[in-house]
């Protein structure tokens, strides 16, 4: 497998009572249409309204939306997640399943909307010429400045990880969306035990954020694209920010990003063991670490691809 996949992930802030969401969504679609080459996948969060989802679909005719759950009697869309694949692109969406979170904020805080929105993980199986990839699209509990929401968001992150664990290790597993999780939080540290943060290098280089502040200063980085740390695959990423001038000006209260991924198989365990042995070659001593790494890979993976990538 040596596949390329370009995706956009963006929280569009499509909640009621925001300033002219229909006009903002039209500008989002115009911005996306201008990206060259065109992204393979579009992953939008906070598309709560069925009418706004229909507008996006109409304004992005070269993309096909994934099947969604039935809208409620108010026209609201569960989880607010919308995924689209380019019709003439290299990837297509074969399956879409929503795993609703088990843990929510109190339902009676209707002005926040998180519990009423039925947030969860949209599990997508995307298929290309070289194989398939599992993609988990999600939007976690917002903090609203309340420390008591941190355990809820932490449990939702664990739910995301459990979904990934249930998918096995035969295919690459990616995740993307608004995790409402800061890099300096305990949740992020726990996340990194199982996931590779594909946005980390860009974030550290740019010193920017994905949330948009009123004062123009960089907001926190709370949106991510991740790769589940499977030993058989290597994923590399180039990140480009899709920026706003101010909250909802001109697009959203989040900066989105375009991520260009290259997905391949990791070197085989047999190859790594051979490389470790060749490192000695009679010319320099073979470190115990190299022997253990190669032998461990052989035990775990046999002759199949098997070493995890360095972080």
């Amino acid at each position: 497998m040596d596949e390329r996949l370009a995706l956009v992930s963006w929280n569009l802030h499509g909640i009621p009572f925001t300033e002219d969401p229909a006009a903002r969504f039209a500008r989002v679609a115009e911005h996306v249409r201008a990206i060259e080459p065109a992204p393979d996948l579009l992953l939008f969060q906070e598309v709560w309204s069925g009418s706004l989802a229909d507008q996006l679909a109409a304004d992005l005719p070269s993309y096909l939306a994934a099947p969604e759950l039935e809208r409620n009697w108010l026209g609201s869309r569960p989880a607010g997640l919308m995924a689209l694949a380019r019709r003439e692109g290299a990837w297509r969406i074969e399956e879409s399943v929503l795993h609703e979170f088990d843990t929510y904020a109190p339902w009676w805080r209707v002005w926040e909307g998180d519990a009423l929105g039925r947030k969860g993980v949209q599990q997508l199986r995307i298929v290309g010429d070289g194989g398939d990839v599992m993609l988990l699209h999600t939007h976690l509990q917002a903090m609203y400045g309340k420390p008591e929401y941190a355990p809820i968001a932490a449990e939702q992150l664990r739910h995301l990880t459990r979904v990934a664990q249930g998918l096995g290790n035969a295919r690459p597993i990616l995740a993307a969306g608004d995790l409402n999780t800061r890099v300096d939080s305990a949740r992020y540290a726990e996340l990194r035990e199982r996931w590779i943060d594909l946005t980390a290098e860009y974030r550290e280089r740019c010193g920017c954020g994905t949330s948009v502040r009123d004062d123009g200063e960089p907001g926190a980085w709370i949106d991510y694209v991740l790769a589940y740390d499977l030993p058989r695959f290597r994923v590399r990423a180039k990140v480009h920010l899709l920026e706003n001038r101010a909250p909802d000006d001109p697009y959203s209260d989040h900066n989105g990003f375009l991520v260009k991924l290259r997905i391949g198989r990791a070197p085989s365990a047999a190859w790594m063991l051979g490389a470790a042995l060749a490192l000695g070659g009679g010319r320099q001593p073979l470190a115990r670490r190299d022997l253990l790494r190669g032998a461990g890979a052989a035990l775990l993976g046999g002759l199949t691809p098997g070493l995890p990538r360095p972080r």
Side-chain angles (χ1 to χ4, degrees):
M1 170 182 277
D2 186 9
E3 297 291 317
R4 297 176 188 271
L5 169 64
L7 64 85
V8 165
S9 179
W10 205 346
N11 181 324
L12 300 187
H13 198 210
I15 62 175
F17 315 117
T18 55
E19 184 175 351
D20 203 351
R24 292 192 293 103
F25 276 42
R27 292 192 290 268
V28 166
E30 181 181 17
H31 192 39
V32 169
R33 291 196 305 268
I35 298 174
E36 292 291 345
D40 300 295
L41 292 174
L42 308 176
L43 304 174
F44 297 135
Q45 302 96 53
E46 286 206 2
V47 186
W48 296 110
S49 162
S51 61
L52 288 175
D54 293 340
Q55 175 185 323
L56 280 173
D59 287 347
L60 294 165
S62 60
Y63 288 84
L64 179 66
E68 59 182 41
L69 294 180
E70 185 177 350
R71 302 171 187 181
N72 68 18
W73 63 278
L74 291 173
S76 178
R77 304 176 65 257
L81 304 172
M82 186 174 185
L84 306 95
R86 191 158 61 92
R87 293 179 187 271
E88 304 300 325
W91 297 88
R92 63 187 183 276
I93 299 173
E94 288 288 338
E95 296 174 3
S96 176
V97 178
L98 181 64
H99 302 270
E100 291 189 41
F101 292 132
D102 300 322
T103 307
Y104 288 104
W107 66 268
W108 50 266
R109 288 180 173 168
V110 294
W111 58 91
E112 294 174 352
D114 279 64
L116 297 179
R118 295 172 59 194
K119 285 184 174 181
V121 178
Q122 184 183 27
Q123 176 185 310
L124 303 164
R125 185 169 72 89
I126 59 173
V127 180
D129 292 339
D132 58 346
V133 171
M134 301 304 297
L135 178 57
L136 304 179
H137 179 206
T138 193
H139 181 197
L140 270 61
Q141 170 70 43
M143 293 296 100
Y144 300 107
K146 295 181 172 68
E148 63 266 30
Y149 284 170
I152 295 172
E155 181 54 37
Q156 290 178 351
L157 271 180
R158 295 183 193 112
H159 194 142
L160 173 68
T161 299
R162 289 195 296 272
V163 173
Q165 289 172 327
L167 297 175
N169 61 5
R171 298 166 289 200
I173 300 171
L174 306 173
D178 175 5
L179 303 189
N180 278 309
T181 294
R182 298 173 61 105
V183 176
D184 57 359
S185 68
R187 296 193 305 280
Y188 181 78
E190 182 178 348
L191 174 78
R192 288 299 302 269
E193 293 176 5
R194 296 295 183 93
W195 295 89
I196 299 166
D197 180 0
L198 299 174
T199 67
E201 181 181 349
Y202 176 85
R203 181 181 64 247
E204 292 164 5
R205 188 171 68 248
C206 79
C208 53
T210 57
S211 59
V212 183
R213 290 174 35 158
D214 292 320
D215 59 8
E217 292 297 314
W221 191 285
I222 57 175
D223 302 77
Y224 299 87
V225 174
L226 311 168
Y228 196 59
D229 198 2
L230 293 174
R232 300 182 179 209
F233 304 100
R234 176 183 287 118
V235 183
R236 301 184 185 279
K238 290 185 178 179
V239 179
H240 307 267
L241 212 61
L242 307 176
E243 297 184 81
N244 295 269
R245 293 186 291 267
D248 293 336
D249 179 14
Y251 309 114
S252 175
D253 67 344
H254 281 242
N255 295 320
F257 38 66
L258 166 68
V259 182
K260 298 179 179 179
L261 302 170
R262 185 165 183 175
I263 306 168
R265 290 195 175 274
S268 71
W271 182 90
M272 292 299 291
L273 181 57
L277 293 171
L279 183 65
R283 296 184 299 276
Q284 53 181 306
L286 186 64
R288 177 174 176 269
R289 179 192 60 193
D290 299 314
L291 280 173
L292 289 174
R293 182 180 294 170
L299 287 172
L300 288 171
L303 299 179
T304 61
L307 272 188
R309 287 83 61 224
R311 298 194 180 195

